[in-house]
Amino acid sequence: MKKKTLIRVLIISAVLLLLVGAVAIAIVATNSAAKSAELVELEIAGANLSFSDSVYIKYAVSYANVPAEDISLLVWTEPQSSYVKGNETVALSTVGTETVDGVECLIFNYTGLAAKQMTDNVYAVAYAKVGGVDCYSAPKKYSILQYAYNKMGKTGTKTEDAKLITLLEDMLNYGALAQKYTNYKTDTLATDSFSQIKLAGGTLSDGFNFGLYKVGTKVNVTAPSSSDGMTFVGWRNSTGSLVSTSTSYTVTVGASNEVYSAVYTGAAGKNLEYVPGLDGSSYSVIGIGSCTDANVKIPATIGEKAVTQISDGAFKSCTGIRSVSITKEITYIGAEVFSGCTGLTSIRYAGSESGWNKITKDANWSNGMGKITISCEESDADWELGGVPLG
């Protein structure tokens, strides 16, 4: 009897051990899958137009820590509140690989555009499922019109291929004729004049921070009321003029490309004024804001974002400033940043003389300044403006 009981106990114990082991394996497998998904890198490295027997958008996707065969490209023909698997217009498989800027990329061709759709935006994300976890790249917005404007030099560097420019002009003419023939979006023809709107620190109605819009169109731009602990001040245009103090602002598209920047200030940024970078990963100092310090200290970071630039005229005519401390995170100093700062006597750089010399400076960065001393914390020598060592 005791033996039977002992056998039962042993069997129950073995079953329990198996169950515990199975649970432990499941937990380890789940954690492993989650960690694997965290390591996945997906990016739409570029988009282009390809001409053969038809015109199509060609996407290059870079990837890491995920098998190539697990990657697809999800495409939408309308903007989405979220770009996730399941509601896409089409899912594309790769057609091969190409090397882009030294990186092997998977190539995907989107061929679903008719001639009448040359002004239509297409939205895409690279997608893979790793260990049961959905992984996505950042979404990419593109259009035939965007490609044409880039190549013709209207929104990018003009190609030297004159034949390509002629082809693109004729192609847009053909697209406009197709729109008229099919009565498709005839209020925005491919041959109309367009300008590019870019936003630093905000979004357009489709959730992106850039887009081509027909001249004369009214476009709404929106910015968060706060950013990294700072408060929204207003919108500035490309010339630096404050055009609105409302987070939501309607702009009328002009004949030239325009950048609108959301301005923020607050204690987190030493009460100076900043605009986010176009990529959203950094800040530029653009003004004194409400800072009353005689010894201005530009912070290295705000939140987790580096302060990397001092914009043109940022401290112009700030006569109360005596010194400015600059961190090693600064990579660019604009024109006339300290012009008219009659009280300024020193600039203190946190790095070395070599680091200071590596900062890109506008040719007129020191215009309008008096005699000042530049000191580098990691070097033994100080310099007067103009590079003459102090004796």
Side-chain angles (χ1 to χ4, degrees), residues 220-257:
N220 191 63
V221 301
T222 305
S225 58
S226 62
S227 179
D228 293 305
M230 298 187 294
T231 302
F232 177 82
V233 174
W235 286 101
R236 288 197 181 196
N237 61 16
S238 297
T239 65
S241 299
L242 189 68
V243 293
S244 175
T245 56
S246 174
T247 54
S248 183
Y249 171 57
T250 301
V251 304
T252 300
V253 179
S256 301
N257 299 328

Side-chain angles (χ1 to χ4, degrees), residues 8 15 37 57 78 110-112 160 167 201 234 261 267 285 295 311 346:
R8 288 194 189 100
V15 171
I57 298 179
E78 296 290 339
Y110 178 62
T111 59
E160 296 181 358
L167 171 62
S261 301
V285 183
N295 302 310
S311 297
S346 67

